Amino acid sequence: MKIIDKKPALFEKSNNNIWTDPYIQQQILKKHLDFQSDEASRRQESILKTVNFILKHTKAASRLLDLGCGPGLYTSLFADADYVVTGIDFNKASIEYAMAKSCKVKYIQNDYINSYPNGEYDTITMIYCDMGTHSDDDRDRLLNNIYRSLSNGGVFIFDVFSEEIINAKQENKSWEYAPHGGLWNENEYLLLSQTFHYPKNKAFAYQYNLMYEGTVKHFIIWERYYSEKEITEILEKVGFSQISIYKNLLDKNNFTSNSEMFIVAKK
């Protein structure tokens, strides 16, 4: 069994992906649907606060695209507010759940980086710091697609982690033994978890080696964070003209960090 026990190159991609792994994506869906947990979607009270914040900063009944929509916990609320809603996510289990729950939303199972949905939108959302999971190159490619697909006067609303996240995260290594299976596999497994920090690039890498039945699966998840100045300059470079940043919008998050910034960028 080959364990990868070294710091990955910046924004290196692993051969396996937790959001598309057939078993793990089902477990993630269960986490999404636990309304008292912040582990996949945020807790229900935070979801409602976020939706109300977005409704306040957008045109009523507008055409809305939610990038990384998961099982539709946000999109269904926008549809109930008479928005014309499209949601895209590449987690098959989450999209199938969302489609079964609501016929008022158009759902797309795909990768929004490489298969950005066609159309013109008045509002585009990306919730729970999804922007930070992408490399800078993929982020810039995505932002250009977002800007292009927004109507004049349209808004892009999203959240990212601020530099304060470094107060809650640190480099570490740990082992987990699950004799009866768990989040990562239904059978007995051993998991090596590693956290690496890239201070100059404002990024964390979470690397996992999953060992079960003589097999090793390797996963890397990235978490990029920003200063207010940096995220503003990135958005201005794309063409956004009015950028507002909001902090302390939500209550304490017990799973990741409470250092997110919500950004409203107008075309």
Side-chain angles (χ1 to χ4, degrees), residues 53-54 124-132 143 146 156-160 226 231 235 240 243-244 246 261-265:
F53 173 81
I54 291 169
I124 297 176
T125 57
M126 178 182 272
I127 302 166
Y128 213 168
C129 302
D130 215 32
M131 182 74 75
L143 284 173
I146 289 170
F156 175 39
I157 301 178
F158 65 106
D159 56 344
V160 294
Y226 296 87
I231 195 64
L235 291 167
F240 288 99
I243 301 162
S244 301
Y246 300 83
M261 303 182 287
F262 279 82
I263 293 100
V264 179

Side-chain angles (χ1 to χ4, degrees), residues 59-118:
K59 183 176 68 175
S62 65
R63 298 163 295 178
L64 183 146
L65 170 65
D66 187 20
L67 301 169
C69 65
L73 304 182
Y74 295 85
T75 48
S76 60
L77 295 174
F78 293 130
D80 288 343
D82 295 326
Y83 283 55
V84 179
V85 185
T86 300
I88 181 170
D89 199 292
F90 66 171
N91 184 318
K92 184 174 183 288
S94 288
I95 286 293
E96 287 180 348
Y97 175 89
M99 292 176 69
K101 292 292 288 185
S102 176
C103 61
K104 295 193 294 183
V105 179
K106 176 185 176 181
Y107 286 111
I108 302 168
Q109 184 203 332
N110 219 326
D111 170 9
Y112 58 68
I113 296 291
N114 296 307
S115 299
Y116 189 86
N118 294 324

Side-chain angles (χ1 to χ4, degrees), residues 25-72:
Q25 65 175 264
Q26 291 287 346
Q27 306 313 303
I28 292 175
L29 174 59
K30 292 178 183 178
K31 298 290 186 182
H32 276 299
L33 301 178
D34 182 353
F35 297 121
Q36 302 306 312
S37 171
D38 290 307
E39 288 190 61
S41 295
R42 291 185 172 106
R43 286 170 288 176
Q44 183 69 9
E45 62 183 284
S46 295
I47 291 173
L48 294 174
K49 284 183 180 180
T50 302
V51 168
N52 287 333
F53 173 81
I54 291 169
L55 294 177
K56 178 182 175 182
H57 288 89
T58 57
K59 183 176 68 175
S62 65
R63 298 163 295 178
L64 183 146
L65 170 65
D66 187 20
L67 301 169
C69 65

Side-chain angles (χ1 to χ4, degrees), residues 8 15 23 39-40 48 56 66 72 114 122 145 147 154 159 169 179 195 210 218 220 225 229 236 252 264:
N15 292 330
Y23 175 80
E39 288 190 61
L48 294 174
K56 178 182 175 182
D66 187 20
N114 296 307
D122 306 303
N145 281 329
Y147 187 83
D159 56 344
K169 303 283 184 178
T195 299
L210 173 65
H218 180 233
I220 305 175
Y225 57 91
K229 181 176 183 290
E236 288 176 342
K252 184 176 176 59
V264 179

